[in-house]
Amino acid sequence: MRGAGPAAGWRIVAAAALLGVPTLPAEAEGVVQDPFPGLRSELFVNVTLIDGRGGPPRPSSAVLVTGALIRGVGTQGSMVVPEGSMVVDLSGSYLLPGFIDVQASPRTPEELHALVAFGITGVRDGAVPLDLFQARGRGGFGEDPAPSVYIGGPVLDAGDEASGVRLQSEAAVIQEVERQARDGADFISVSPNVPAEWLVGITRAARQADLPVWADRRGEGWLLALRAGAAVASPLVSGDPDLLPVAERDGFEALAAGGGTRTNADWLARLESHGPEVDRAVTALLSNDATLAPLLASAAAPLDCVPDTAACASVSEVERAELRAAWPKVQALVRTLHGHGVRMLIGSDAPRATDWGSGFHREMQLLVEAGIPELEVIGMATRNAAIALGQLHERGTIELGKRADFLVLEANPLADIRNASRISLVVIGGRAWSLGSDGRWERVRFN
């Protein structure tokens, strides 16, 4: 992300009235009054808009921001703006919704700032321990500029070392779901340690409260969780024996039984990307109206790390070579799921497997490399994530009345998805920010 100013792809032109843009007078008898008097307004003009709704980019667009909200989307000539509005020329730039990372665990303001530097204006933290949840509560997660953080409450856990709330029975888990719903949780997170036979009761209780269940990294894979009613599953490279041909399952499970380690490469070597087992997985996803967070960047981390460094220490050269040879199966599996209309999300898995922010962009790049068009990947990073979090009414697209969380890019992300990291401005709740040359965040004030 580059620093602020004209070189970063934007410039303040003048007050709207000086440019002949129609304005709403602050007071005028017999006309509709400005519904937001006293709030600052900016009209961003001459920008190519990628609104997150799936349609083609719209050149020569204008976006009106008043306070924290988007109050108009169209062309400059079609806008009637509040008196005193400032016009910001974004010629040559691209404007799109802020990204939402559905799988990350930021703990400090510095980590939140690092996410914002990569255009992430919303993040789901699905691994909040009980003590941290109680210490910080829901909401106060950092200093400006910070993304909105969505948490579902402490993770439901049944392990010896609980990562959230340790529970001893299915009845206790269901009671905890009901308690979190009363407390205003946005979703329910289930630890891999929760027994599979409890999942049906958990998802039933969550559905009664209109809350989605996110089941991450279950040891037996995500198919069982989906069949129990989970709304979101991850990761794609799961080690799920049920996704393997029947003839391959015993051999795969025997690796662990014999004291060995089952690797992603072992699982992929046995996978049939277009086999009947994958068809059944597609059916489970579609029939539940469920969503998948592939977490490809996490699976590909052994391929991306620099040999002979600490990040690569746990993976041998042989394992990396096997994973590299099997990676085309991952890409084929992505294409199969996408081709059947399975909704996908973008998650970085930071800091577990990737770095803050960069892992999110690596995920988008890997999906494009697998054959998904850039425009659809951007939709996964924005609108799909907002739907999965129950936040589409507020974010995920550039539309009238939504929160003004958006990015201004210097280059076209539809020509090269890597351009999605070439950010000149991040706007969060109508407040614009730029990363200065000294690496510090600077508030950009237009009037």
Side-chain angles (χ1 to χ4, degrees), residues 41-356:
S41 294
E42 290 93 32
L43 182 63
F44 298 87
V45 300
N46 298 326
V47 68
T48 297
L49 176 63
I50 301 171
D51 63 13
R53 300 170 65 188
R58 295 152 59 184
S60 303
S61 291
V63 175
L64 174 65
V65 173
T66 301
L69 300 177
I70 296 171
R71 300 309 311 175
V73 181
T75 61
Q76 180 176 326
S78 69
M79 293 287 188
V80 178
V81 304
E83 189 175 67
S85 299
M86 297 299 295
V87 176
V88 183
D89 186 2
L90 298 176
S91 295
S93 298
Y94 295 79
L95 190 151
L96 64 159
F99 298 134
I100 303 173
D101 190 336
V102 301
Q103 187 82 16
S105 300
R107 295 289 180 263
T108 67
E110 291 74 23
E111 290 168 351
L112 291 167
H113 292 170
L115 292 175
V116 173
F118 286 90
I120 296 166
T121 61
V123 57
R124 169 190 170 263
D125 187 343
V128 180
L130 179 59
D131 57 347
L132 186 59
F133 176 82
Q134 292 173 334
R136 73 182 185 180
R138 298 177 67 242
F141 298 104
E143 306 162 352
D144 281 342
S148 299
V149 181
Y150 296 96
I151 62 174
V155 180
L156 304 183
D157 205 333
D160 294 333
E161 296 185 9
S163 60
V165 178
R166 183 184 298 145
L167 301 157
Q168 304 298 326
S169 68
E170 181 179 2
V173 171
I174 293 172
Q175 289 178 357
E176 175 64 16
V177 171
E178 294 169 346
R179 187 199 67 77
Q180 291 191 17
R182 290 193 300 270
D183 189 46
D186 297 314
F187 52 86
I188 301 298
S189 289
V190 181
S191 164
N193 295 321
V194 170
E197 57 268 24
W198 295 2
L199 290 175
V200 172
I202 291 171
T203 57
R204 183 182 297 118
R207 281 177 175 170
Q208 289 176 349
D210 199 26
L211 292 177
V213 172
W214 295 62
D216 299 325
R217 293 193 180 85
R218 297 201 59 81
E220 71 277 12
W222 44 260
L223 257 183
L224 185 60
L226 281 179
R227 289 165 178 157
V232 184
S234 68
L236 177 62
V237 183
S238 61
D240 189 340
D242 283 349
L243 281 170
L244 299 179
V246 174
E248 297 286 355
R249 294 176 191 173
D250 289 345
F252 178 67
E253 294 181 332
L255 291 173
T261 301
R262 296 186 302 196
T263 67
N264 286 340
D266 292 326
W267 182 75
L268 288 168
R270 292 166 168 79
L271 180 73
E272 290 182 6
S273 303
H274 304 286
E277 293 77 18
V278 171
D279 286 343
R280 284 193 281 272
V282 169
T283 299
L285 284 159
L286 295 180
S287 61
N288 277 2
D289 194 26
T291 310
L292 176 68
L295 305 187
L296 299 186
S298 177
L303 304 180
D304 293 338
C305 64
V306 178
D308 300 324
T309 63
C312 277
S314 63
V315 183
S316 71
E317 286 296 335
V318 171
E319 289 172 334
R320 271 195 293 278
E322 290 175 344
L323 180 58
R324 187 174 294 107
W327 196 255
K329 285 194 174 184
V330 177
Q331 296 174 318
L333 185 56
V334 168
R335 289 192 296 273
T336 298
L337 296 172
H338 175 258
H340 283 288
V342 172
R343 291 200 315 276
M344 297 186 198
L345 310 172
I346 307 295
S348 67
D349 210 14
R352 179 182 179 274
T354 70
D355 294 331
W356 300 110

Side-chain angles (χ1 to χ4, degrees), residues 356-371:
W356 300 110
S358 63
F360 185 90
H361 287 265
R362 179 60 175 152
E363 182 81 0
M364 291 197 291
Q365 184 180 346
L366 288 168
L367 288 166
V368 169
E369 290 175 358

